[in-house]
Amino acid sequence: MPETNEKKIVTSTSLRLKIGLAEMLKGGVIMDVMNVEQARIAEEAGAVAVMALERVPAMIRAEGGVARMAKPSLIKQIIQAVSIPVMAKARIGHFAEAQILQELGVDFIDESEVLTPADETHHIDKHAFTTPFVCGARNLGEALRRIAEGAAMIRTKGEAGTGDVVHAVQHMRQIVKEMKALTVLSEQELYAAAKEHQAPYELVRMVAQTGKLPVPNFSAGGIATPADASLMMQLGAEAIFVGSGIFMKERATPLDVENNPEERAEAISRAKAIVTATTHYNDPKILAEVSEQVTGTMKGLAAAAIEESQLLQTRGW
Amino acid sequence: MPEKSTPLRIGVLAVQGDYAAHAEALAEVGALPIAVRKPEELQGLDGLILPGGESTTMLKFLEKRHFFTALKDYCSGHPVFGTCAGAILLAREVRNPAQRSLGILDAVVERNAYGRQIDSSIVMADSALPGGPLEMVFIRAPRILETGPEVEVLARREGDPVLVRHGSTMAATFHPELSHDRRVHKAFVEIVAAVARR
């Protein structure tokens, strides 16, 4: 195939298909769900995809223990229950979990710092898979290292399970700032920039030319309100992940969407409002309307109060 | 051809999906893309593209603020092009599962008909467009099961229609916006230009 525009990333068929699905999710909300009922609520509220997991980050944070890939039976039930794409998380470096998720027909694998890492040196070789991967990043170097390994989508890490958007903001601003800085460098300076970012020169050069990542750049980690979603979109996110923000009540207690109609209505109102806010992120009138319709918000945990050793975002290398 | 000074204004439904890729493709073939997020933004457009994305999500937005009716009215009287999710929205009937649609294109469409993401593929196939085989990017693609007698099939994949035209309505089950080849967007812009000249 002749390459007509050298600014466009030259990629393999496989990577183009992976990035293609990420393109389809743009402008949408991907919601963490722990059971079939939550998955149906997410789809009904307008989620573009669901992330199937056994415990949302807020519960993992509160309960501790080793957090692993979700049970295959749960993932299969959720795949059966909804028509939208289904994502699931594998532990960092745990390529066997990823192989199982691919076999189950999951549409996107999140190699996630929210789960307990399985390898303290190596991430998964994502080129070895047909299923696309999304990975978290706190800065440009981390994002480009993940892309070099084959990630088809990057998301800010933020600090999952807190309902505090501060770190998602910090990571998005950092990545955007570092990309802008590359665009004004001369060709000669890009080699040293690649060294500084600890990232492959080819990818650094590509960002310098285009001013953006060669894969979609989404936001995650602490987004809990329609205003949070709008904030991240205005800062440059192309779509939003909401983890604990929709189905959690207290820190470790989910809303009872199966038996309690009021709590079910609250989850639906949050989900719908965040979906609307993500599309109309630049329309304060609509944002005010949907913010008013939300009947509650997860309690949350100020990220600044979390001890360094308890942060999830520092996992990944 | 339209005057250089007044490019055709072509809307792209931008509630969700790969609307930015369509906007880029439109700009490359000389049209002016306009993002449409609200029904009132349909006014004054020469044509409209319904992009790829999640059709269920797009429907949620269409079901608010009388957007569905406004869009249906618009599409009945203007050139419109739907890709993937957009083709699903345009269909007369949708299966797997059944869902509401605009009924602009006389066709029955089955969602996720080729399987999940691992079954997504890039295919080179012949089409009615001049210039040789066309690259077709299929992502969790729908399948056109039936077409009405007036629907012209412009390309097929293993027998299934994948690019169709009915009057000034076009639909593709693949994503021409994700290829570098701009022949499909050019073909649509030519339809828009022909209607605008009338």
Side-chain angles (χ1 to χ4, degrees), chain A residues 211-240:
Chain A
K212 56 181 194 168
L213 294 180
V215 304
N217 186 13
F218 291 12
S219 182
I223 298 161
T225 68
D228 289 348
S230 164
L231 177 67
M232 295 316 302
M233 292 294 284
Q234 291 192 56
L235 287 173
E238 294 177 301
I240 299 292

Side-chain angles (χ1 to χ4, degrees), chain B residues 74-141:
Chain B
Y74 181 86
C75 295
S76 315
H78 297 86
V80 57
F81 177 31
T83 64
C84 198
I88 294 169
L89 291 179
L90 288 174
R92 162 167 59 82
E93 184 189 332
V94 179
R95 295 183 190 160
N96 188 36
Q99 67 187 35
R100 205 172 170 205
S101 56
L102 296 163
I104 298 296
L105 178 71
D106 189 6
V108 180
V109 177
E110 178 190 11
R111 288 183 60 205
N112 300 326
Y114 298 94
R116 306 193 66 80
Q117 172 62 12
I118 40 175
D119 307 301
S120 292
S121 60
I122 298 181
V123 173
M124 292 296 289
D126 287 322
S127 79
L129 303 177
L134 186 67
E135 182 190 79
M136 302 171 183
V137 180
F138 292 93
I139 309 273
R140 282 173 52 98

Side-chain angles (χ1 to χ4, degrees), chain A:
Chain A
M1 284 289 295
E3 185 57 40
T4 51
N5 183 347
E6 78 166 31
K7 283 188 177 175
K8 279 195 174 135
I9 181 171
V10 186
T11 56
S12 64
T13 296
S14 161
L15 191 54
R16 286 184 61 202
L17 286 169
K18 292 172 179 175
I19 294 172
L21 181 56
E23 292 284 336
M24 296 311 138
L25 303 174
K26 280 184 177 178
V29 181
I30 298 140
M31 300 183 192
D32 277 5
V33 297
M34 295 179 281
N35 54 51
V36 164
E37 199 50 35
Q38 291 182 352
R40 290 202 177 113
I41 289 174
E43 182 176 45
E44 183 54 33
V48 287
V50 290
M51 176 80 71
L53 70 184
E54 279 176 50
R55 298 185 292 170
V56 296
M59 293 170 79
I60 294 171
R61 187 179 284 290
E63 292 168 5
V66 177
R68 308 182 179 94
M69 170 188 86
K71 288 194 296 276
S73 59
L74 174 69
I75 293 168
K76 282 163 90 172
Q77 283 168 13
I78 290 174
I79 286 176
Q80 281 299 313
V82 295
S83 67
I84 54 179
V86 175
M87 301 188 175
K89 291 183 193 289
R91 283 180 264 176
I92 290 173
H94 207 317
F95 54 85
E97 282 189 348
Q99 287 163 351
I100 293 168
L101 293 175
Q102 173 165 284
E103 185 60 32
L104 291 170
V106 161
D107 296 294
F108 235 106
I109 298 170
D110 184 1
E111 186 182 19
S112 178
E113 70 282 2
V114 165
L115 304 185
T116 311
D119 191 321
E120 295 188 330
T121 310
H122 307 99
H123 280 251
I124 297 171
D125 170 14
K126 294 164 273 286
H127 292 292
F129 290 78
T130 311
T131 305
F133 278 74
V134 51
C135 289
R138 295 188 296 166
N139 53 53
L140 183 60
E142 196 173 8
L144 296 181
R145 288 193 293 279
R146 299 295 85 80
I147 293 167
E149 295 156 0
M153 181 201 294
I154 292 297
R155 54 170 175 75
T156 57
K157 285 179 169 177
E159 188 57 28
T162 58
D164 186 345
V165 78
V166 66
H167 287 135
V169 169
Q170 187 187 60
H171 300 159
M172 186 57 74
R173 282 204 186 274
Q174 181 71 21
I175 291 171
V176 170
K177 183 177 82 182
E178 289 175 335
M179 289 194 297
K180 275 188 201 155
L182 284 184
T183 62
V184 297
L185 295 186
S186 69
E187 288 279 324
Q188 311 165 331
E189 291 170 312
L190 292 177
Y191 298 97
K195 185 179 152 196
E196 266 168 41
H197 288 297
Q198 298 179 48
Y201 164 76
E202 288 73 19
L203 289 174
V204 168
R205 184 163 181 270
M206 200 175 278
V207 173
Q209 287 177 339
T210 62
K212 56 181 194 168
L213 294 180
V215 304
N217 186 13
F218 291 12
S219 182
I223 298 161
T225 68
D228 289 348
S230 164
L231 177 67
M232 295 316 302
M233 292 294 284
Q234 291 192 56
L235 287 173
E238 294 177 301
I240 299 292
F241 282 85
V242 184
S244 317
I246 290 168
F247 294 107
M248 294 306 286
K249 182 165 58 175
E250 303 294 334
R251 271 185 58 198
T253 319
L255 294 165
D256 183 359
V257 298
E258 272 152 335
N259 305 308
N260 185 328
E262 264 178 42
E263 293 193 0
R264 182 187 172 86
E266 177 171 339
I268 292 171
S269 82
R270 289 188 201 176
K272 282 186 172 173
I274 291 179
V275 167
T276 308
T278 301
T279 291
H280 295 289
Y281 67 92
N282 244 340
D283 191 327
K285 185 166 178 277
I286 293 180
L287 292 171
E289 277 169 28
V290 298
S291 298
E292 195 177 339
Q293 286 156 15
V294 180
T295 52
T297 301
M298 74 179 281
K299 272 259 173 5
L301 170 69
I306 303 170
E307 276 184 49
E308 182 78 25
S309 65
Q310 299 301 308
L311 289 174
L312 300 175
Q313 60 182 269
T314 52
R315 297 165 166 184
W317 3 96

